[in-house]
Amino acid sequence: MADSENQKFCLQEVLESFKSCLSPEKEIYIEHYVSGWRGLVKLLNSLGSLFGFISKDAVSKTQILMNFLKSENGPHYATVQSMVKFELDNELVDVDKKGIYPESGCRTLLRLHRALRWLQLFLERLRTSKEDDKTSVMCRDAYNESLAQHHPWLIRKSAGVAFYSLPVRLAFFEVMNVGTPEQVVDVLGKAVPLLCEVYQITEELYQKHNLHDLP
Ligand code: 1PX
């Protein structure tokens, strides 16, 4: 595992990455999008081995996108918009669901995009939570409302088990490494609309090109 993934999580840093991933024309820079996810992986890695399978999948998906970015086609992968155009123009996507391109940029980003919806729902629940609210319940409800619909039984079960082991609300706030609970709530108030915007731009792009069901 890369050193950066073992470093301490900081929510502010993740926020900065997602902030820098939006261009003035509302294009999404893949490099910063990936760096936002890598920041989140640091938090997952600090939560214990039950989250290892989730972290592994997130790392592998971000690695696929980084490899494209570093390849000779790299410039086409600068933004989500240019990636979609490039892969569609060159028929590098399984639009007819044949599964010939199981590691296309479009299908890989779709998985992270669905996870971003979970993150948005989870963070909004955390932001508006009360002292006695359970992190595991907030996480489970956000998951059931989003990602779970795309996961088979075994993954849903394993995720459910991992959620039970989440630290309680105050301890979780500490892991976020922002400061007092009030400061956490404040940063979450900035993070959620930002994630929402990134999510919405991708959502509309995928809708426009009918990419929501890529296998
Ligand atoms: C400030 C709080 C931040 C909390 C940070 C948590 C970061 C979580 C990162 C999760 C990234 C998950 C990506 C999952 C992508 C996915 O859906 N992959 C599945 C499909 O991929 P495939 O290539 O097979 O089509 C794959 O099967 C998934 C495997 C792993 C299980 C994913 C469960 C995700 C549960 C939601 C994350 C819960 C983390 C809770 C931590 C608070």
Side-chain angles (χ1 to χ4, degrees), residues 9 11 37 39-41 43-44 47 51 53-55 57-58 61 102 107-108 111-112 114-115 118-119 122-123 126 135 139 143 147 150-152 155 159 163 166 172 176 188 214-215:
F9 173 82
L11 181 62
W37 279 109
L40 291 165
V41 165
L43 180 132
L44 265 189
L47 293 175
F51 291 88
F53 77 109
I54 305 175
S55 161
D57 189 67
K61 302 242 174 334
R107 70 85 65 191
T108 302
R111 272 50 182 183
L112 293 175
R114 289 170 178 162
W118 160 80
L119 184 65
F122 175 53
L123 295 188
L126 265 184
T135 325
C139 188
Y143 176 73
L147 264 182
H150 305 284
H151 289 163
I155 298 272
F163 297 161
L166 281 174
F172 195 79
M176 288 160 91
L188 287 177
L214 294 179

mmCIF file of all heavy atoms in Angstrom, residues 9 11 37 39-41 43-44 47 51 53-55 57-58 61 102 107-108 111-112 114-115 118-119 122-123 126 135 139 143 147 150-152 155 159 163 166 172 176 188 214-215, ligand 1:
data_model
loop_
_atom_site.group_PDB
_atom_site.id
_atom_site.type_symbol
_atom_site.label_atom_id
_atom_site.label_comp_id
_atom_site.label_asym_id
_atom_site.label_seq_id
_atom_site.Cartn_x
_atom_site.Cartn_y
_atom_site.Cartn_z
ATOM 1 N N PHE A 9 -5.879 10.728 8.111
ATOM 2 C CA PHE A 9 -6.972 11.338 7.359
ATOM 3 C C PHE A 9 -7.205 12.765 7.829
ATOM 4 O O PHE A 9 -7.061 13.082 8.996
ATOM 5 C CB PHE A 9 -8.232 10.505 7.587
ATOM 6 C CG PHE A 9 -9.473 11.118 7.012
ATOM 7 C CD1 PHE A 9 -9.768 10.972 5.666
ATOM 8 C CD2 PHE A 9 -10.360 11.833 7.808
ATOM 9 C CE1 PHE A 9 -10.922 11.525 5.125
ATOM 10 C CE2 PHE A 9 -11.516 12.392 7.274
ATOM 11 C CZ PHE A 9 -11.789 12.228 5.933
ATOM 12 N N LEU A 11 -10.273 15.642 6.902
ATOM 13 C CA LEU A 11 -11.460 15.951 6.096
ATOM 14 C C LEU A 11 -11.258 17.204 5.251
ATOM 15 O O LEU A 11 -11.678 17.274 4.095
ATOM 16 C CB LEU A 11 -12.688 16.116 7.006
ATOM 17 C CG LEU A 11 -14.006 16.413 6.294
ATOM 18 C CD1 LEU A 11 -14.410 15.281 5.366
ATOM 19 C CD2 LEU A 11 -15.122 16.662 7.306
ATOM 20 N N TRP A 37 -10.783 10.708 -3.372
ATOM 21 C CA TRP A 37 -11.072 9.330 -2.933
ATOM 22 C C TRP A 37 -9.910 8.727 -2.163
ATOM 23 O O TRP A 37 -10.098 8.003 -1.192
ATOM 24 C CB TRP A 37 -11.432 8.448 -4.143
ATOM 25 C CG TRP A 37 -12.867 8.633 -4.540
ATOM 26 C CD1 TRP A 37 -13.347 9.259 -5.649
ATOM 27 C CD2 TRP A 37 -14.031 8.232 -3.780
ATOM 28 N NE1 TRP A 37 -14.726 9.266 -5.633
ATOM 29 C CE2 TRP A 37 -15.159 8.649 -4.509
ATOM 30 C CE3 TRP A 37 -14.216 7.570 -2.563
ATOM 31 C CZ2 TRP A 37 -16.470 8.411 -4.060
ATOM 32 C CZ3 TRP A 37 -15.511 7.343 -2.119
ATOM 33 C CH2 TRP A 37 -16.614 7.751 -2.857
ATOM 34 N N GLY A 39 -7.855 10.285 -0.328
ATOM 35 C CA GLY A 39 -7.914 10.880 1.014
ATOM 36 C C GLY A 39 -8.900 10.102 1.869
ATOM 37 O O GLY A 39 -8.626 9.786 3.034
ATOM 38 N N LEU A 40 -10.044 9.767 1.298
ATOM 39 C CA LEU A 40 -11.072 9.031 2.050
ATOM 40 C C LEU A 40 -10.592 7.624 2.412
ATOM 41 O O LEU A 40 -10.923 7.095 3.482
ATOM 42 C CB LEU A 40 -12.355 8.945 1.223
ATOM 43 C CG LEU A 40 -13.090 10.281 1.045
ATOM 44 C CD1 LEU A 40 -14.114 10.197 -0.072
ATOM 45 C CD2 LEU A 40 -13.762 10.708 2.350
ATOM 46 N N VAL A 41 -9.787 7.045 1.527
ATOM 47 C CA VAL A 41 -9.255 5.707 1.808
ATOM 48 C C VAL A 41 -8.391 5.722 3.081
ATOM 49 O O VAL A 41 -8.371 4.761 3.848
ATOM 50 C CB VAL A 41 -8.463 5.167 0.587
ATOM 51 C CG1 VAL A 41 -7.596 3.972 0.958
ATOM 52 C CG2 VAL A 41 -9.421 4.794 -0.549
ATOM 53 N N LEU A 43 -8.989 7.342 5.727
ATOM 54 C CA LEU A 43 -9.902 7.184 6.868
ATOM 55 C C LEU A 43 -10.357 5.733 6.975
ATOM 56 O O LEU A 43 -10.349 5.142 8.060
ATOM 57 C CB LEU A 43 -11.107 8.104 6.729
ATOM 58 C CG LEU A 43 -12.096 7.972 7.894
ATOM 59 C CD1 LEU A 43 -12.477 9.337 8.430
ATOM 60 C CD2 LEU A 43 -13.350 7.239 7.526
ATOM 61 N N LEU A 44 -10.697 5.147 5.837
ATOM 62 C CA LEU A 44 -11.108 3.731 5.857
ATOM 63 C C LEU A 44 -10.027 2.860 6.473
ATOM 64 O O LEU A 44 -10.308 1.977 7.286
ATOM 65 C CB LEU A 44 -11.329 3.246 4.417
ATOM 66 C CG LEU A 44 -12.715 3.272 3.841
ATOM 67 C CD1 LEU A 44 -12.716 2.536 2.509
ATOM 68 C CD2 LEU A 44 -13.722 2.620 4.777
ATOM 69 N N LEU A 47 -9.935 2.491 10.139
ATOM 70 C CA LEU A 47 -11.116 1.943 10.816
ATOM 71 C C LEU A 47 -11.021 0.453 11.122
ATOM 72 O O LEU A 47 -11.937 -0.114 11.719
ATOM 73 C CB LEU A 47 -12.370 2.208 9.973
ATOM 74 C CG LEU A 47 -12.791 3.678 9.836
ATOM 75 C CD1 LEU A 47 -13.969 3.814 8.893
ATOM 76 C CD2 LEU A 47 -13.124 4.285 11.197
ATOM 77 N N PHE A 51 -12.870 -3.172 7.205
ATOM 78 C CA PHE A 51 -13.097 -2.267 6.087
ATOM 79 C C PHE A 51 -12.094 -2.499 4.959
ATOM 80 O O PHE A 51 -12.118 -1.816 3.943
ATOM 81 C CB PHE A 51 -13.033 -0.802 6.560
ATOM 82 C CG PHE A 51 -14.196 -0.445 7.446
ATOM 83 C CD1 PHE A 51 -14.127 -0.655 8.823
ATOM 84 C CD2 PHE A 51 -15.374 0.058 6.910
ATOM 85 C CE1 PHE A 51 -15.206 -0.367 9.642
ATOM 86 C CE2 PHE A 51 -16.456 0.356 7.724
ATOM 87 C CZ PHE A 51 -16.381 0.143 9.090
ATOM 88 N N PHE A 53 -11.720 -4.812 2.700
ATOM 89 C CA PHE A 53 -12.202 -5.173 1.355
ATOM 90 C C PHE A 53 -12.791 -3.961 0.623
ATOM 91 O O PHE A 53 -12.735 -3.876 -0.598
ATOM 92 C CB PHE A 53 -13.208 -6.339 1.425
ATOM 93 C CG PHE A 53 -14.605 -5.958 1.876
ATOM 94 C CD1 PHE A 53 -15.661 -5.962 0.982
ATOM 95 C CD2 PHE A 53 -14.869 -5.595 3.198
ATOM 96 C CE1 PHE A 53 -16.951 -5.620 1.368
ATOM 97 C CE2 PHE A 53 -16.148 -5.244 3.599
ATOM 98 C CZ PHE A 53 -17.190 -5.254 2.693
ATOM 99 N N ILE A 54 -13.307 -3.001 1.382
ATOM 100 C CA ILE A 54 -13.862 -1.792 0.761
ATOM 101 C C ILE A 54 -12.711 -0.900 0.285
ATOM 102 O O ILE A 54 -12.691 -0.418 -0.851
ATOM 103 C CB ILE A 54 -14.767 -1.018 1.756
ATOM 104 C CG1 ILE A 54 -15.864 -1.939 2.313
ATOM 105 C CG2 ILE A 54 -15.357 0.212 1.100
ATOM 106 C CD1 ILE A 54 -16.752 -1.319 3.388
ATOM 107 N N SER A 55 -11.723 -0.771 1.181
ATOM 108 C CA SER A 55 -10.567 0.044 0.862
ATOM 109 C C SER A 55 -9.836 -0.500 -0.370
ATOM 110 O O SER A 55 -9.449 0.248 -1.268
ATOM 111 C CB SER A 55 -9.653 0.058 2.090
ATOM 112 O OG SER A 55 -8.380 0.443 1.761
ATOM 113 N N ASP A 57 -11.039 -2.223 -2.837
ATOM 114 C CA ASP A 57 -11.795 -1.955 -4.066
ATOM 115 C C ASP A 57 -11.655 -0.484 -4.469
ATOM 116 O O ASP A 57 -11.477 -0.176 -5.652
ATOM 117 C CB ASP A 57 -13.280 -2.318 -3.873
ATOM 118 C CG ASP A 57 -14.039 -2.256 -5.182
ATOM 119 O OD1 ASP A 57 -13.758 -3.094 -6.064
ATOM 120 O OD2 ASP A 57 -14.872 -1.357 -5.363
ATOM 121 N N ALA A 58 -11.732 0.411 -3.487
ATOM 122 C CA ALA A 58 -11.615 1.842 -3.796
ATOM 123 C C ALA A 58 -10.216 2.137 -4.361
ATOM 124 O O ALA A 58 -10.081 2.881 -5.340
ATOM 125 C CB ALA A 58 -11.875 2.672 -2.547
ATOM 126 N N LYS A 61 -9.969 0.883 -7.967
ATOM 127 C CA LYS A 61 -10.684 1.721 -8.934
ATOM 128 C C LYS A 61 -9.930 3.036 -9.183
ATOM 129 O O LYS A 61 -9.841 3.490 -10.323
ATOM 130 C CB LYS A 61 -12.101 2.011 -8.428
ATOM 131 C CG LYS A 61 -12.921 0.717 -8.176
ATOM 132 C CD LYS A 61 -14.099 0.628 -9.022
ATOM 133 C CE LYS A 61 -14.924 -0.643 -8.991
ATOM 134 N NZ LYS A 61 -14.349 -1.924 -8.632
ATOM 135 N N PRO A 102 -14.155 -4.477 -19.230
ATOM 136 C CA PRO A 102 -14.527 -4.488 -17.808
ATOM 137 C C PRO A 102 -13.766 -3.453 -16.985
ATOM 138 O O PRO A 102 -14.087 -3.239 -15.819
ATOM 139 C CB PRO A 102 -14.152 -5.909 -17.369
ATOM 140 C CG PRO A 102 -13.098 -6.340 -18.318
ATOM 141 C CD PRO A 102 -13.380 -5.648 -19.632
ATOM 142 N N ARG A 107 -16.903 2.912 -16.811
ATOM 143 C CA ARG A 107 -17.551 1.996 -15.856
ATOM 144 C C ARG A 107 -16.857 2.074 -14.489
ATOM 145 O O ARG A 107 -17.490 1.958 -13.450
ATOM 146 C CB ARG A 107 -17.665 0.557 -16.381
ATOM 147 C CG ARG A 107 -16.418 -0.265 -16.524
ATOM 148 C CD ARG A 107 -15.978 -0.964 -15.297
ATOM 149 N NE ARG A 107 -16.900 -1.974 -14.825
ATOM 150 C CZ ARG A 107 -16.774 -2.551 -13.642
ATOM 151 N NH1 ARG A 107 -15.788 -2.177 -12.800
ATOM 152 N NH2 ARG A 107 -17.604 -3.479 -13.267
ATOM 153 N N THR A 108 -15.549 2.348 -14.505
ATOM 154 C CA THR A 108 -14.830 2.462 -13.235
ATOM 155 C C THR A 108 -15.302 3.704 -12.478
ATOM 156 O O THR A 108 -15.604 3.641 -11.278
ATOM 157 C CB THR A 108 -13.307 2.529 -13.496
ATOM 158 O OG1 THR A 108 -12.927 1.347 -14.210
ATOM 159 C CG2 THR A 108 -12.519 2.624 -12.210
ATOM 160 N N ARG A 111 -18.693 3.406 -10.746
ATOM 161 C CA ARG A 111 -18.704 2.785 -9.400
ATOM 162 C C ARG A 111 -18.375 3.826 -8.327
ATOM 163 O O ARG A 111 -18.974 3.852 -7.251
ATOM 164 C CB ARG A 111 -17.693 1.630 -9.336
ATOM 165 C CG ARG A 111 -18.200 0.263 -9.772
ATOM 166 C CD ARG A 111 -18.890 0.281 -11.081
ATOM 167 N NE ARG A 111 -19.422 -1.026 -11.481
ATOM 168 C CZ ARG A 111 -20.012 -1.237 -12.643
ATOM 169 N NH1 ARG A 111 -20.142 -0.247 -13.516
ATOM 170 N NH2 ARG A 111 -20.492 -2.431 -12.943
ATOM 171 N N LEU A 112 -17.392 4.679 -8.602
ATOM 172 C CA LEU A 112 -17.030 5.706 -7.610
ATOM 173 C C LEU A 112 -18.133 6.766 -7.516
ATOM 174 O O LEU A 112 -18.424 7.283 -6.431
ATOM 175 C CB LEU A 112 -15.695 6.368 -7.984
ATOM 176 C CG LEU A 112 -14.466 5.458 -7.890
ATOM 177 C CD1 LEU A 112 -13.221 6.190 -8.392
ATOM 178 C CD2 LEU A 112 -14.241 4.981 -6.449
ATOM 179 N N ARG A 114 -21.327 6.243 -7.895
ATOM 180 C CA ARG A 114 -22.403 5.708 -7.035
ATOM 181 C C ARG A 114 -21.993 5.802 -5.569
ATOM 182 O O ARG A 114 -22.814 6.073 -4.687
ATOM 183 C CB ARG A 114 -22.676 4.242 -7.395
ATOM 184 C CG ARG A 114 -23.349 4.073 -8.742
ATOM 185 C CD ARG A 114 -23.353 2.606 -9.130
ATOM 186 N NE ARG A 114 -24.022 2.348 -10.389
ATOM 187 C CZ ARG A 114 -23.862 1.232 -11.085
ATOM 188 N NH1 ARG A 114 -23.060 0.267 -10.652
ATOM 189 N NH2 ARG A 114 -24.522 1.063 -12.215
ATOM 190 N N ALA A 115 -20.692 5.558 -5.308
ATOM 191 C CA ALA A 115 -20.211 5.633 -3.921
ATOM 192 C C ALA A 115 -20.255 7.077 -3.418
ATOM 193 O O ALA A 115 -20.461 7.326 -2.220
ATOM 194 C CB ALA A 115 -18.792 5.071 -3.828
ATOM 195 N N TRP A 118 -23.480 7.706 -1.851
ATOM 196 C CA TRP A 118 -23.510 7.188 -0.476
ATOM 197 C C TRP A 118 -22.840 8.181 0.472
ATOM 198 O O TRP A 118 -23.378 8.519 1.533
ATOM 199 C CB TRP A 118 -22.809 5.813 -0.382
ATOM 200 C CG TRP A 118 -22.418 5.523 1.033
ATOM 201 C CD1 TRP A 118 -23.220 5.051 2.022
ATOM 202 C CD2 TRP A 118 -21.147 5.797 1.639
ATOM 203 N NE1 TRP A 118 -22.533 5.012 3.214
ATOM 204 C CE2 TRP A 118 -21.257 5.456 3.000
ATOM 205 C CE3 TRP A 118 -19.931 6.296 1.158
ATOM 206 C CZ2 TRP A 118 -20.189 5.592 3.885
ATOM 207 C CZ3 TRP A 118 -18.867 6.437 2.045
ATOM 208 C CH2 TRP A 118 -19.013 6.081 3.392
ATOM 209 N N LEU A 119 -21.659 8.672 0.038
ATOM 210 C CA LEU A 119 -20.883 9.578 0.896
ATOM 211 C C LEU A 119 -21.681 10.846 1.212
ATOM 212 O O LEU A 119 -21.738 11.292 2.364
ATOM 213 C CB LEU A 119 -19.575 9.942 0.184
ATOM 214 C CG LEU A 119 -18.612 10.807 0.978
ATOM 215 C CD1 LEU A 119 -18.094 10.073 2.209
ATOM 216 C CD2 LEU A 119 -17.443 11.253 0.109
ATOM 217 N N PHE A 122 -24.404 9.991 3.677
ATOM 218 C CA PHE A 122 -23.841 9.684 4.994
ATOM 219 C C PHE A 122 -23.386 10.973 5.702
ATOM 220 O O PHE A 122 -23.708 11.206 6.879
ATOM 221 C CB PHE A 122 -22.675 8.702 4.832
ATOM 222 C CG PHE A 122 -21.946 8.392 6.098
ATOM 223 C CD1 PHE A 122 -22.632 7.946 7.234
ATOM 224 C CD2 PHE A 122 -20.558 8.518 6.173
ATOM 225 C CE1 PHE A 122 -21.947 7.654 8.415
ATOM 226 C CE2 PHE A 122 -19.869 8.224 7.347
ATOM 227 C CZ PHE A 122 -20.568 7.802 8.461
ATOM 228 N N LEU A 123 -22.661 11.819 4.956
ATOM 229 C CA LEU A 123 -22.145 13.046 5.576
ATOM 230 C C LEU A 123 -23.275 14.001 5.966
ATOM 231 O O LEU A 123 -23.185 14.689 6.975
ATOM 232 C CB LEU A 123 -21.148 13.748 4.640
ATOM 233 C CG LEU A 123 -19.855 12.979 4.352
ATOM 234 C CD1 LEU A 123 -18.876 13.848 3.581
ATOM 235 C CD2 LEU A 123 -19.181 12.467 5.624
ATOM 236 N N LEU A 126 -24.559 12.684 9.163
ATOM 237 C CA LEU A 126 -23.617 13.017 10.250
ATOM 238 C C LEU A 126 -23.760 14.482 10.646
ATOM 239 O O LEU A 126 -23.786 14.826 11.836
ATOM 240 C CB LEU A 126 -22.189 12.817 9.756
ATOM 241 C CG LEU A 126 -21.474 11.509 10.030
ATOM 242 C CD1 LEU A 126 -20.041 11.626 9.525
ATOM 243 C CD2 LEU A 126 -21.459 11.154 11.516
ATOM 244 N N THR A 135 -23.525 6.137 14.463
ATOM 245 C CA THR A 135 -22.822 6.233 13.180
ATOM 246 C C THR A 135 -23.170 5.043 12.290
ATOM 247 O O THR A 135 -23.355 5.187 11.086
ATOM 248 C CB THR A 135 -21.299 6.224 13.438
ATOM 249 O OG1 THR A 135 -21.046 6.899 14.635
ATOM 250 C CG2 THR A 135 -20.547 6.849 12.326
ATOM 251 N N CYS A 139 -24.702 5.249 8.577
ATOM 252 C CA CYS A 139 -23.949 4.671 7.464
ATOM 253 C C CYS A 139 -24.800 3.631 6.738
ATOM 254 O O CYS A 139 -24.884 3.629 5.500
ATOM 255 C CB CYS A 139 -22.677 4.045 8.031
ATOM 256 S SG CYS A 139 -21.551 3.492 6.781
ATOM 257 N N TYR A 143 -26.253 3.784 2.952
ATOM 258 C CA TYR A 143 -25.859 2.692 2.046
ATOM 259 C C TYR A 143 -27.089 2.047 1.409
ATOM 260 O O TYR A 143 -27.141 1.839 0.190
ATOM 261 C CB TYR A 143 -25.035 1.673 2.830
ATOM 262 C CG TYR A 143 -24.641 0.448 2.034
ATOM 263 C CD1 TYR A 143 -23.663 0.529 1.044
ATOM 264 C CD2 TYR A 143 -25.229 -0.793 2.278
ATOM 265 C CE1 TYR A 143 -23.288 -0.596 0.315
ATOM 266 C CE2 TYR A 143 -24.862 -1.921 1.556
ATOM 267 C CZ TYR A 143 -23.889 -1.815 0.574
ATOM 268 O OH TYR A 143 -23.519 -2.934 -0.149
ATOM 269 N N LEU A 147 -25.810 2.811 -2.676
ATOM 270 C CA LEU A 147 -24.942 1.760 -3.208
ATOM 271 C C LEU A 147 -25.501 0.346 -3.120
ATOM 272 O O LEU A 147 -25.260 -0.483 -3.999
ATOM 273 C CB LEU A 147 -23.641 1.777 -2.399
ATOM 274 C CG LEU A 147 -22.461 2.542 -2.941
ATOM 275 C CD1 LEU A 147 -21.295 2.372 -1.995
ATOM 276 C CD2 LEU A 147 -22.081 2.046 -4.321
ATOM 277 N N HIS A 150 -26.829 -1.682 -5.932
ATOM 278 C CA HIS A 150 -25.926 -2.144 -6.993
ATOM 279 C C HIS A 150 -25.043 -3.285 -6.536
ATOM 280 O O HIS A 150 -24.181 -3.744 -7.282
ATOM 281 C CB HIS A 150 -25.047 -0.976 -7.466
ATOM 282 C CG HIS A 150 -25.840 0.210 -7.912
ATOM 283 N ND1 HIS A 150 -26.483 0.249 -9.124
ATOM 284 C CD2 HIS A 150 -26.140 1.373 -7.285
ATOM 285 C CE1 HIS A 150 -27.119 1.391 -9.242
ATOM 286 N NE2 HIS A 150 -26.932 2.098 -8.135
ATOM 287 N N HIS A 151 -25.200 -3.727 -5.293
ATOM 288 C CA HIS A 151 -24.318 -4.760 -4.752
ATOM 289 C C HIS A 151 -25.039 -6.083 -4.526
ATOM 290 O O HIS A 151 -26.204 -6.095 -4.093
ATOM 291 C CB HIS A 151 -23.718 -4.300 -3.413
ATOM 292 C CG HIS A 151 -22.708 -3.207 -3.558
ATOM 293 N ND1 HIS A 151 -22.292 -2.426 -2.510
ATOM 294 C CD2 HIS A 151 -22.019 -2.759 -4.649
ATOM 295 C CE1 HIS A 151 -21.383 -1.555 -2.928
ATOM 296 N NE2 HIS A 151 -21.209 -1.736 -4.226
ATOM 297 N N PRO A 152 -24.344 -7.201 -4.776
ATOM 298 C CA PRO A 152 -24.944 -8.503 -4.482
ATOM 299 C C PRO A 152 -25.027 -8.759 -2.976
ATOM 300 O O PRO A 152 -24.397 -8.052 -2.181
ATOM 301 C CB PRO A 152 -23.986 -9.489 -5.156
ATOM 302 C CG PRO A 152 -22.684 -8.766 -5.254
ATOM 303 C CD PRO A 152 -22.989 -7.297 -5.324
ATOM 304 N N ILE A 155 -21.769 -8.904 -0.636
ATOM 305 C CA ILE A 155 -21.142 -7.586 -0.371
ATOM 306 C C ILE A 155 -22.015 -6.799 0.615
ATOM 307 O O ILE A 155 -21.503 -6.187 1.566
ATOM 308 C CB ILE A 155 -20.995 -6.776 -1.689
ATOM 309 C CG1 ILE A 155 -20.091 -7.495 -2.684
ATOM 310 C CG2 ILE A 155 -20.529 -5.352 -1.403
ATOM 311 C CD1 ILE A 155 -18.635 -7.204 -2.562
ATOM 312 N N ALA A 159 -20.637 -5.567 4.142
ATOM 313 C CA ALA A 159 -20.651 -4.135 4.452
ATOM 314 C C ALA A 159 -21.433 -3.913 5.752
ATOM 315 O O ALA A 159 -20.991 -3.168 6.638
ATOM 316 C CB ALA A 159 -21.289 -3.351 3.300
ATOM 317 N N PHE A 163 -20.131 -2.048 9.128
ATOM 318 C CA PHE A 163 -20.776 -0.838 9.675
ATOM 319 C C PHE A 163 -20.958 -0.925 11.200
ATOM 320 O O PHE A 163 -20.822 0.059 11.904
ATOM 321 C CB PHE A 163 -22.153 -0.598 9.033
ATOM 322 C CG PHE A 163 -22.113 -0.333 7.541
ATOM 323 C CD1 PHE A 163 -23.248 -0.494 6.751
ATOM 324 C CD2 PHE A 163 -20.934 0.064 6.923
ATOM 325 C CE1 PHE A 163 -23.216 -0.256 5.377
ATOM 326 C CE2 PHE A 163 -20.883 0.303 5.551
ATOM 327 C CZ PHE A 163 -22.027 0.143 4.787
ATOM 328 N N LEU A 166 -18.220 0.534 13.369
ATOM 329 C CA LEU A 166 -17.834 1.955 13.291
ATOM 330 C C LEU A 166 -17.781 2.594 14.677
ATOM 331 O O LEU A 166 -18.615 2.283 15.542
ATOM 332 C CB LEU A 166 -18.841 2.720 12.424
ATOM 333 C CG LEU A 166 -18.687 2.580 10.914
ATOM 334 C CD1 LEU A 166 -19.841 3.266 10.194
ATOM 335 C CD2 LEU A 166 -17.364 3.168 10.451
ATOM 336 N N PHE A 172 -15.895 9.150 16.033
ATOM 337 C CA PHE A 172 -15.803 9.264 14.577
ATOM 338 C C PHE A 172 -15.433 10.696 14.178
ATOM 339 O O PHE A 172 -14.615 10.923 13.283
ATOM 340 C CB PHE A 172 -17.128 8.845 13.922
ATOM 341 C CG PHE A 172 -17.001 8.603 12.445
ATOM 342 C CD1 PHE A 172 -16.470 7.416 11.963
ATOM 343 C CD2 PHE A 172 -17.385 9.572 11.530
ATOM 344 C CE1 PHE A 172 -16.327 7.187 10.595
ATOM 345 C CE2 PHE A 172 -17.249 9.360 10.159
ATOM 346 C CZ PHE A 172 -16.726 8.168 9.693
ATOM 347 N N MET A 176 -12.069 12.222 12.052
ATOM 348 C CA MET A 176 -12.140 13.127 10.910
ATOM 349 C C MET A 176 -11.099 14.242 10.981
ATOM 350 O O MET A 176 -10.834 14.907 9.983
ATOM 351 C CB MET A 176 -13.561 13.701 10.784
ATOM 352 C CG MET A 176 -14.524 12.656 10.291
ATOM 353 S SD MET A 176 -16.205 13.055 10.662
ATOM 354 C CE MET A 176 -16.667 13.915 9.240
ATOM 355 N N LEU A 188 -18.544 19.965 7.420
ATOM 356 C CA LEU A 188 -19.503 19.107 6.710
ATOM 357 C C LEU A 188 -20.516 19.959 5.937
ATOM 358 O O LEU A 188 -20.935 19.604 4.834
ATOM 359 C CB LEU A 188 -20.244 18.179 7.678
ATOM 360 C CG LEU A 188 -19.419 17.011 8.237
ATOM 361 C CD1 LEU A 188 -20.242 16.211 9.233
ATOM 362 C CD2 LEU A 188 -18.924 16.106 7.122
ATOM 363 N N LEU A 214 -23.629 0.523 -17.184
ATOM 364 C CA LEU A 214 -22.429 -0.159 -17.693
ATOM 365 C C LEU A 214 -22.077 -1.353 -16.812
ATOM 366 O O LEU A 214 -21.975 -1.220 -15.591
ATOM 367 C CB LEU A 214 -21.240 0.812 -17.729
ATOM 368 C CG LEU A 214 -21.354 1.975 -18.726
ATOM 369 C CD1 LEU A 214 -20.127 2.866 -18.641
ATOM 370 C CD2 LEU A 214 -21.540 1.451 -20.145
ATOM 371 N N PRO A 215 -21.890 -2.546 -17.411
ATOM 372 C CA PRO A 215 -21.631 -3.756 -16.608
ATOM 373 C C PRO A 215 -20.241 -3.747 -15.957
ATOM 374 O O PRO A 215 -19.379 -3.016 -16.387
ATOM 375 C CB PRO A 215 -21.724 -4.879 -17.636
ATOM 376 C CG PRO A 215 -21.393 -4.247 -18.942
ATOM 377 C CD PRO A 215 -21.883 -2.820 -18.856
HETATM 378 C C1 1PX B 1 -15.733 11.709 6.521
HETATM 379 C C2 1PX B 1 -16.245 10.362 6.439
HETATM 380 C C3 1PX B 1 -15.751 9.721 5.265
HETATM 381 C C4 1PX B 1 -15.929 8.256 5.194
HETATM 382 C C5 1PX B 1 -14.980 7.756 4.184
HETATM 383 C C6 1PX B 1 -15.275 6.458 3.682
HETATM 384 C C7 1PX B 1 -14.681 6.225 2.343
HETATM 385 C C8 1PX B 1 -15.389 5.142 1.699
HETATM 386 C C9 1PX B 1 -14.884 4.774 0.369
HETATM 387 C C10 1PX B 1 -15.799 3.782 -0.206
HETATM 388 C C11 1PX B 1 -15.521 3.523 -1.651
HETATM 389 C C12 1PX B 1 -16.331 2.369 -2.086
HETATM 390 C C13 1PX B 1 -16.212 2.144 -3.550
HETATM 391 C C14 1PX B 1 -17.157 1.047 -3.912
HETATM 392 C C15 1PX B 1 -17.283 0.899 -5.381
HETATM 393 C C16 1PX B 1 -18.174 -0.307 -5.636
HETATM 394 O O1 1PX B 1 -19.388 -0.196 -5.506
HETATM 395 N N1 1PX B 1 -17.567 -1.445 -5.985
HETATM 396 C C17 1PX B 1 -18.324 -2.681 -6.134
HETATM 397 C C18 1PX B 1 -18.628 -2.948 -7.581
HETATM 398 O O2 1PX B 1 -17.450 -2.952 -8.331
HETATM 399 P P1 1PX B 1 -17.330 -3.961 -9.590
HETATM 400 O O3 1PX B 1 -16.001 -3.623 -10.207
HETATM 401 O O4 1PX B 1 -17.377 -5.355 -9.017
HETATM 402 O O5 1PX B 1 -18.504 -3.685 -10.479
HETATM 403 C C19 1PX B 1 -17.509 -3.787 -5.521
HETATM 404 O O6 1PX B 1 -18.127 -5.024 -5.694
HETATM 405 C C20 1PX B 1 -17.386 -3.386 -4.096
HETATM 406 C C21 1PX B 1 -16.719 -3.931 -3.209
HETATM 407 C C22 1PX B 1 -16.510 -3.349 -1.872
HETATM 408 C C23 1PX B 1 -17.718 -3.075 -1.036
HETATM 409 C C24 1PX B 1 -18.197 -1.683 -1.120
HETATM 410 C C25 1PX B 1 -19.131 -1.366 0.022
HETATM 411 C C26 1PX B 1 -19.208 0.124 0.136
HETATM 412 C C27 1PX B 1 -19.855 0.533 1.405
HETATM 413 C C28 1PX B 1 -19.818 1.999 1.600
HETATM 414 C C29 1PX B 1 -18.583 2.471 2.272
HETATM 415 C C30 1PX B 1 -18.652 2.342 3.718
HETATM 416 C C31 1PX B 1 -17.483 2.887 4.433
HETATM 417 C C32 1PX B 1 -17.867 3.331 5.769
HETATM 418 C C33 1PX B 1 -16.856 4.146 6.436
HETATM 419 C C34 1PX B 1 -17.383 5.207 7.278
#
